[in-house]
Every structure is written in structure tokens, then in C-alpha cells.
């Protein structure tokens, strides 16, 4: 079995963490360096992460997450945001390819026009794409974290408005997930829940 398949099968949503375990900025940066390779529409890289490891601030995040205990014991609480205005960075993202001659001026202008046409003045689409693409990034983060020996739990149980207030998040971002990360308490691991057989969730045509 390949290492990837082992990681996919080993990854579980951690229900509780060993309290007091630290995760260093260097370890997190290593995970994020690989996370940034996740796919995104038009390579706009909609995902933005806010890492909270400061104990006092983490308790405020916990309060915004309805006082869930796993936020308290986690090494860090990571808020995954989607950038609704990610399309505004398209000229910067594609400018390098144009400068290198990989992309012609005509192709560059056409692509920027397509991106702007899809996103500008369409707030519903901006929000949908922010959530969709940040979710892709978040899944990659959790798999890489597992490969590095860290356990995670994706959470949607939090008050979005309160989380934005506590962390002073600009309006351009939409909170997508809260991910707790740390070392799972081993005797707290429950049997994996029921998983549908392939025939129940896949239709072959």
C-alpha cells in the first residue's frame, strides 16, 4: 500500500487532543508550503488561514465555537477563510507568466477578462467560489498534517459573526471551516462511522 493510501485511511477527525502539546511555526509553515499546491479555480488561491495558538485568544475562539472542549486542548485552532475578492489578484498571479513570455499579451488580456467577467458584480458566485476552493485547500491541509504526524478535526460549529469579530477578519473573507490540530488522545478514538458502499454514492453511466 502506498503512503498516500495509508494516510487517507489513517486520517480521522480527532475528538480530543493531548493538552499542552505545542506545534511550532516552522512545522506549520512546512504544512502550509505543501497546502498551497492545492487546486483552485483559475489558480486564484481563494484560501486564507488564520492560525491561533495564543492560549488567551484561543479561548476566545473556543467561545465563538460554542465552547467546544477540543478547541481548548488543540495545539492550534485554524480558521479557514475564503476570499470573495480573490479574482482581484488575477493580474498579479498571471503577470509573471506574461513577463516570462509563457503567456502572450492577448492570452493574458483574454484570461483576465474572463475571470473578471465571471466574478465581478456577482456576489453569490464570489461567495460560492470562496467556500468551494477554500474547502479543497482545507482537505489538502488535513492530509498533509496527518502525514506530518498531526491530527485534525474540521468543524463548522461556530458563530461566524463572532469569529470574525474576535479575529478582526475583513469583510472580503467568508469563514468556511475551523480546523483544530494537535495530537489526538489515543484512548478517545472511536470506531470509524458507517461509510456508504460505492454503489450507494456513485452512479456509473
Amino acid at each position: 500500500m502506498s503512503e498516500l493510501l495509508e494516510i487517507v485511511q489513517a486520517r480521522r477527525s480527532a475528538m480530543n487532543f493531548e493538552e499542552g502539546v505545542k506545534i511550532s511555526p516552522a512545522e506549520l509553515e512546512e504544512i502550509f508550503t505543501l497546502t498551497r499546491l492545492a487546486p483552485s479555480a483559475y489558480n486564484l488561491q481563494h484560501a486564507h488561514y488564520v492560525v491561533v495558538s495564543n492560549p488567551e485568544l484561543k479561548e476566545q475562539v473556543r467561545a465563538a465555537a460554542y465552547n467546544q472542549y477540543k478547541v481548548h486542548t488543540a495545539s492550534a485552532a485554524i480558521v479557514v477563510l475564503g476570499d470573495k475578492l480573490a479574482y482581484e489578484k488575477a493580474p498579479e498571479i498571471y503577470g509573471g507568466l506574461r513577463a516570462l513570455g509563457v503567456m502572450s499579451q492577448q492570452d493574458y488580456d483574454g484570461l483576465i477578462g474572463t475571470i473578471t467577467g465571471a466574478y465581478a458584480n456577482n456576489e453569490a458566485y464570489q461567495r460560492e467560489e470562496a467556500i468551494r476552493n477554500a474547502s479543497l485547500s482545507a482537505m489538502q491541509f488535513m492530509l498533509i498534517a496527518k502525514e506530518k504526524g498531526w491530527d485534525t478535526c474540521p468543524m463548522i460549529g461556530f458563530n461566524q459573526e463572532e469569529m470574525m469579530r474576535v479575529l478582526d477578519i475583513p469583510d472580503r473573507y467568508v469563514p468556511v471551516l475551523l480546523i483544530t490540530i494537535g495530537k489526538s488522545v489515543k484512548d478517545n478514538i472511536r470506531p470509524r462511522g458507517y461509510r456508504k458502499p460505492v454503489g450507494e454514492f456513485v452512479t456509473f453511466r
Side-chain angles (χ1 to χ4, degrees), residues 69-153:
Y69 188 65
K70 72 184 79 171
V71 178
H72 170 74
T73 57
S75 301
I78 301 171
V79 181
V80 185
L81 306 172
D83 186 358
K84 294 179 289 186
L85 303 182
Y87 73 95
E88 294 179 348
K89 297 285 184 68
E92 177 183 334
I93 290 170
Y94 287 98
L97 293 176
R98 181 187 57 179
L100 291 171
V102 176
M103 177 178 285
S104 69
Q105 184 67 47
Q106 181 179 0
D107 289 342
Y108 171 87
D109 291 340
L111 181 58
I112 299 303
T114 297
I115 293 171
T116 302
Y119 284 87
N121 304 315
N122 192 339
E123 293 184 9
Y125 186 70
Q126 292 171 14
R127 180 180 174 83
E128 290 171 3
E129 283 292 276
I131 294 172
R132 185 166 23 244
N133 289 282
S135 297
L136 286 172
S137 179
M139 187 69 248
Q140 182 138 318
F141 172 89
M142 289 186 287
L143 288 174
I144 294 166
K146 186 61 180 177
E147 194 278 334
K148 299 294 183 184
W150 294 95
D151 299 301
T152 58
C153 183

Side-chain angles (χ1 to χ4, degrees), residues 7-36:
I7 291 166
V8 169
Q9 293 189 40
R11 190 213 63 79
R12 303 287 297 277
S13 292
M15 295 297 103
N16 199 9
F17 300 94
E18 296 179 16
E19 191 168 356
V21 176
K22 304 291 186 183
I23 184 168
S24 70
E27 289 175 287
L28 284 165
E29 186 164 346
E30 187 176 359
I31 295 171
F32 283 120
T33 296
L34 294 168
T35 299
R36 68 197 179 110

